[in-house]
Every structure is written in C-alpha cells, then in structure tokens.
Amino acid sequence: MTLPPSPADTLAAHALALLGERGAGRLPHPGGDLATHLRRVHSQLATWGARPALRLAGLCHAFYGTDGFPTALLPLPRRAELAAVIGEEAEELVYLYASCDRPATYPGLADPEAPFHDRFTGTTTLPSHAARRDFAEISAANELDLAAHDPDFRAAHDPDFRAAHGPDLLALFTRVSSLLSPAAWADCQAVLAGPLPGSPEGPPPSCGVPSAG
C-alpha cells in the first residue's frame, strides 16, 4: 500500500514548485544548477535528522540571495509569499541565513552574546541559541555540498573549492562545533580535513554527503 505524502513532503513539493517558477533550475551553481544544489542541501539535512522546518529552510536558503550568492529568487518585500509556502518558522530561518553579514558575524557565531549582523538592514540582533544552531547546521550542509561537488564547477569557476576554502571552513566549523549536530560535525571533519580529491591518498571517505548522482 502506498502511503500518502507527509505534511513535510507536501510542503517541500510546493517549495520545489516555487523554486521552478522563480528560475532556480536555470541559475548555474556548483554541481549543476541552484535547484539541484538546494535539493542536495535539503537531503543532507534530512540525513542529519533535521526537523521538517529546518529541512525546508535548507531547501529555500538562497531565496533572498546570500552573502556568498547574490542572486535573489524573491525580493525581500515579498517574504510573505515564501512564508505562505513553507511556513513562518522555516521562512524566518531563510531570512536569518540570507541576511548574515558573514565576515562580521562568523567570528562570534558560537558566542550567545555576540551580535549577528544583518547585511540587509545594517542592524545587529542576538539570535537565540536554537537559531544559531539552525544557522550553523544550514551553513554546514551548504558548504559541504560545495566542497563535495566542486569538480563539476571547476573548469568554469573555482579551480579547486576545497583546496582553496577547506582550511578556513574547517576552522569555522571547529569554532562552532558546539552548535552542530554530531552527524554534521563528523561530516565537516571527514569532508574538509580528509585528503583532497586526486591526492596520493585518494578521495575523502564517504560521509553521507549526497553525490552529484
């Protein structure tokens, strides 16, 4: 007997439809296109046992652009449209992720008293510990996907994402390891600290990061 889709699966399907409408499948991104990357981030968060709202936020984390990917699928005045599709909790996490001024925020991210800098408004806030954990988990899923799929993007863009950015990312996730789930932190170490692809030691061990296939 075929089981009906869960509420989370239904929301994810609606989010994927909106991503298609907004052209995510036509935007180049490491590993193919933006929509493919977002699906992999959603899958990675599911592998780590993330709750539905966090998975949906991962699926939609680039809707407003990010500090590392400026193209927005929706302008900020239309946030209500995304909230209507994925729910307010997930949409608020999408905004938190998109709004982060990374150079200003990352150094103190794990400190509950350190300000979170909003690049859209120029203001600072003090997110809750739970919000910081969610932000860190999406960040890990996003960056590990980039590191795992950089060969697909290498010829036209970054010559070697993991070699260029791996040490800094590992340092970042080491600083915020207290915010990460055990599964996410284990994957950060395996992907970012392992031998580089093509090195004499071979590729890093399999750690649950979805493959390009």
Side-chain angles (χ1 to χ4, degrees), residues 108-124:
L109 182 60
D111 180 353
E113 300 303 320
F116 188 99
H117 297 259
D118 187 319
R119 69 189 182 93
F120 296 134
T121 66
T123 60
T124 60

Side-chain angles (χ1 to χ4, degrees), residues 35-90:
T36 300
H37 164 68
L38 295 174
R39 287 195 295 268
R40 288 197 305 258
V41 170
H42 178 265
S43 179
Q44 181 64 86
L45 290 166
T47 298
W48 292 341
R51 69 190 189 282
L54 182 53
R55 299 199 303 267
L56 287 167
L59 179 61
C60 298
H61 72 263
F63 253 93
Y64 309 135
T66 73
D67 206 359
F69 188 79
T71 303
L73 301 177
L74 275 178
L76 289 176
R78 295 171 62 180
R79 288 180 59 185
E81 294 180 32
L82 182 59
V85 173
I86 64 174
E88 291 185 2
E89 179 187 3

Side-chain angles (χ1 to χ4, degrees), residues 5-159:
S6 69
D9 289 338
T10 299
L11 291 177
H14 292 165
L16 286 168
L18 183 59
L19 284 166
E21 291 173 10
R22 302 305 301 173
R26 299 189 298 272
L27 288 174
H29 198 276
D33 56 68
L34 179 61
T36 300
H37 164 68
L38 295 174
R39 287 195 295 268
R40 288 197 305 258
V41 170
H42 178 265
S43 179
Q44 181 64 86
L45 290 166
T47 298
W48 292 341
R51 69 190 189 282
L54 182 53
R55 299 199 303 267
L56 287 167
L59 179 61
C60 298
H61 72 263
F63 253 93
Y64 309 135
T66 73
D67 206 359
F69 188 79
T71 303
L73 301 177
L74 275 178
L76 289 176
R78 295 171 62 180
R79 288 180 59 185
E81 294 180 32
L82 182 59
V85 173
I86 64 174
E88 291 185 2
E89 179 187 3
E91 190 279 331
E92 287 174 0
L93 288 174
V94 171
Y95 179 86
L96 182 72
Y97 186 84
S99 70
C100 181
D101 179 335
R102 295 177 181 178
T105 300
Y106 277 3
L109 182 60
D111 180 353
E113 300 303 320
F116 188 99
H117 297 259
D118 187 319
R119 69 189 182 93
F120 296 134
T121 66
T123 60
T124 60
T125 60
L126 290 177
S128 67
H129 181 70
R132 290 174 189 264
R133 287 179 61 89
D134 289 341
F135 178 90
E137 202 83 348
I138 296 172
S139 297
N142 176 65
E143 299 295 353
L144 292 189
D145 183 73
L146 296 178
H149 294 92
D150 71 281
D152 298 322
F153 209 52
R154 183 178 298 160
H157 298 273
D158 196 327

